[in-house]
Amino acid sequence: MSNPIDLDPFARFRAVTRARIGLGRAGDSLPIRAVLDFQLAHARARDAVHGHVDFAAMAERIGATQPVIRLKSRAADRPTYLARPDLGRRVDPTAVAGVERGDWDVAFVIADGLSAAAVEAHAEIVLSACLRRLGDLKVAPIVLGEQARVAFGDEVGDALGARIVVVLIGERPGLSVPDSLGAYLTFAPKVGRRDSERNCLSNIHADGLMHELAADKIAWLIRQALRLGLTGVDLKEDMAGTAALPVAP
């Protein structure tokens, strides 16, 4: 009997990557299995982009242990949000006016971004893991941002008076991962911050950066940012050789 590897030389590579390689062909087209897999992945990506996070249920769950604030961006609905990225970067002025300023080390914002699936699957787990590592810091009320992009957190963090803001947001889905969460950290948040002034951890999902390791890295970056007074291109994540971070039970 022939070795399967000899019959399919791409088999060994598919075992270690999610990329679509060596799909074969059926006449002038792809095999039906490859076509159907692609269509399913595309449908999941579209669902992630157009989906809605159940922020009411999330607020109830998080609110059992942490104060929660719900805010919306200036994008009135999902179609507007997708067509006008600028509106998703700013907070509804009638809502942000009611935010009470305080003396906070860090503020966490959970934003729907471009993948409701990512936020539903990972945001609360990562948030909880981060809070267990930051028990000695003053954490602002958790903000849930609807129709929000990364820069939404700048205005929120400034309104809260937080020294650093962490935005947990659904990343743009691809055809291999529709539920990838990103974390963006910005020191001294205010409207107009550039992307170069942020640190980003991406690909937080079941087949990527795991929740606990992501929380380790986020907590490390927060402490370094507070110590150095900066985030962005001048702050490099380098946890190698450092002591394990304390984790509350």
Side-chain angles (χ1 to χ4, degrees), residues 26-77:
D28 294 333
S29 183
L30 292 170
I32 188 64
R33 179 182 295 277
V35 173
L36 293 176
D37 286 345
F38 182 87
Q39 290 176 342
L40 176 60
H42 188 257
R44 286 173 173 164
R46 287 178 59 87
D47 286 347
V49 169
H50 293 284
H52 295 276
V53 176
D54 189 347
F55 279 121
M58 184 177 291
E60 186 174 348
R61 291 190 297 268
I62 296 176
T65 58
Q66 300 286 330
V68 174
I69 301 173
R70 290 188 61 184
L71 297 174
K72 294 183 178 181
S73 76
R74 299 185 183 186
D77 50 40

Side-chain angles (χ1 to χ4, degrees):
M1 182 178 293
S2 300
N3 188 326
I5 296 298
D6 295 333
L7 297 177
D8 183 2
F10 287 96
R12 68 184 69 185
F13 302 112
R14 280 197 293 271
V16 294
T17 180
R18 300 173 68 91
R20 289 175 170 81
I21 58 174
L23 299 180
R25 67 178 184 175
D28 294 333
S29 183
L30 292 170
I32 188 64
R33 179 182 295 277
V35 173
L36 293 176
D37 286 345
F38 182 87
Q39 290 176 342
L40 176 60
H42 188 257
R44 286 173 173 164
R46 287 178 59 87
D47 286 347
V49 169
H50 293 284
H52 295 276
V53 176
D54 189 347
F55 279 121
M58 184 177 291
E60 186 174 348
R61 291 190 297 268
I62 296 176
T65 58
Q66 300 286 330
V68 174
I69 301 173
R70 290 188 61 184
L71 297 174
K72 294 183 178 181
S73 76
R74 299 185 183 186
D77 50 40
R78 198 64 177 172
T80 303
Y81 172 81
L82 295 174
R84 293 285 306 274
D86 57 316
L87 297 180
R89 298 186 184 109
R90 297 299 303 274
V91 187
D92 181 343
T94 61
V96 75
V99 174
E100 185 176 347
R101 193 175 183 84
D103 179 24
W104 308 109
D105 291 316
V106 58
F108 283 91
V109 177
I110 296 179
D112 44 11
L114 291 171
S115 176
V119 176
E120 291 280 11
H122 310 299
E124 292 176 71
I125 302 174
V126 174
L127 172 65
S128 178
C130 288
L131 294 178
R132 293 197 303 272
R133 291 158 170 78
L134 300 170
D136 58 321
L137 299 184
K138 293 175 287 186
V139 179
I142 309 302
V143 175
L144 306 182
E146 188 173 351
Q147 313 296 1
R149 295 183 182 266
V150 173
F152 178 93
D154 297 339
E155 192 170 3
V156 171
D158 190 16
L160 286 168
R163 297 176 66 194
I164 186 170
V165 64
V166 180
V167 179
L168 302 176
I169 189 168
E171 295 184 315
R172 181 182 293 106
L175 292 174
S176 58
V177 181
D179 64 338
S180 180
L181 188 78
Y184 292 80
L185 298 84
T186 309
F187 184 80
K190 62 180 181 180
V191 175
R193 284 294 188 199
R194 301 184 300 274
D195 288 340
S196 60
E197 297 175 290
R198 314 184 197 282
N199 285 85
C200 171
L201 289 177
S202 61
N203 292 306
I204 303 171
H205 55 85
D207 296 309
L209 184 61
M210 302 304 290
H211 300 141
E212 295 296 326
L213 180 55
D216 279 342
K217 291 178 178 290
I218 292 169
W220 187 91
L221 285 168
I222 288 172
R223 294 185 185 281
Q224 292 300 311
L226 292 174
R227 181 177 69 87
L228 299 172
L230 56 84
T231 49
V233 295
D234 292 325
L235 175 59
K236 307 298 184 184
E237 186 272 304
D238 182 17
M239 290 181 57
T242 60
L245 295 172
V247 181

